[in-house]
Amino acid sequence: MPAEQVSPFLRGEVQDYIQGKADEELMEEKLRKAIAIHYFRGTWFIKDPTCSEAKLGVTHMPVDTLYQLFLQYSSICINSRKATPNSLFFAIQGFSKNGNKFAKEALDRGSRYAIVDDPTVITDNRYILVDNVLEMLHHLAARHHQILKTPVIGITGTCGKTTTKELIVAVLSNKYNLVATPGSENGTLSASLALLSLKEEHAMAVIEMRACSVGMIRELARVAQPNYGIITNV
């Protein structure tokens, strides 16, 4: 695909900048935008508005349709190196990695579908386009939890969250079949993955929830929808 369709800079602008002929204020503004997008999306490149999904012949899949696929292929993968046959690969974008770039690798390793939010990586019908991969994962987890209606215990606090969670799991697992967030993972991603691993035979889920910024617990509560809450040391 031509560089003009994915870069914030035109070829001529870059050439003029190198030769000292460019509008420096305009270039600096574009550079600031590119840096911001790199921070949030993990890539130095953005789509040009003219490079639309319609022109590429793709449409966004709604959560209801994706949930039906999830019921058929319930293995979730977010690391292309750990992709398994018939899994769903979610191309999550982090601060330093752009999951869209690894969608092909996941498919090559056996994933049934790759859920992406960059239409420029789509080459066949194994790619599923959504507005935002991470948000779609959260919506999918919430939908799965709403359908199963599995009770959730949410644990938060300044310290002692993981120890408390492990003690609760150790006690309750003697009687109940549980799902819990692994280790000390306690963000929205780990909460969603734990909820998506729920089966009908599970009696409850134990979700550790961190509070590292204002509004974090509100966001985690939106995703995990706990029925019971435990607050450790504050």
Side-chain angles (χ1 to χ4, degrees), residues 19 44 57 69 79 81 96 124 147 160 173 192 196 201 233:
Q19 297 174 358
W44 282 107
L69 285 178
N79 185 335
R81 293 172 297 180
S96 60
D124 57 50
I147 290 174
S173 61
S192 290
L196 285 168
E201 60 266 24
N233 295 333

Side-chain angles (χ1 to χ4, degrees), residues 7-19:
S7 171
F9 304 105
L10 300 175
R11 289 185 189 274
E13 287 178 326
V14 175
Q15 200 168 30
D16 287 346
Y17 183 77
I18 294 173
Q19 297 174 358

Side-chain angles (χ1 to χ4, degrees), residues 1 4-6 47-56 119-120:
M1 178 167 290
E4 289 86 348
Q5 292 186 335
V6 294
K47 295 183 298 175
D48 187 278
T50 60
C51 182
S52 65
E53 287 84 354
K55 286 189 175 183
L56 293 169
T120 65

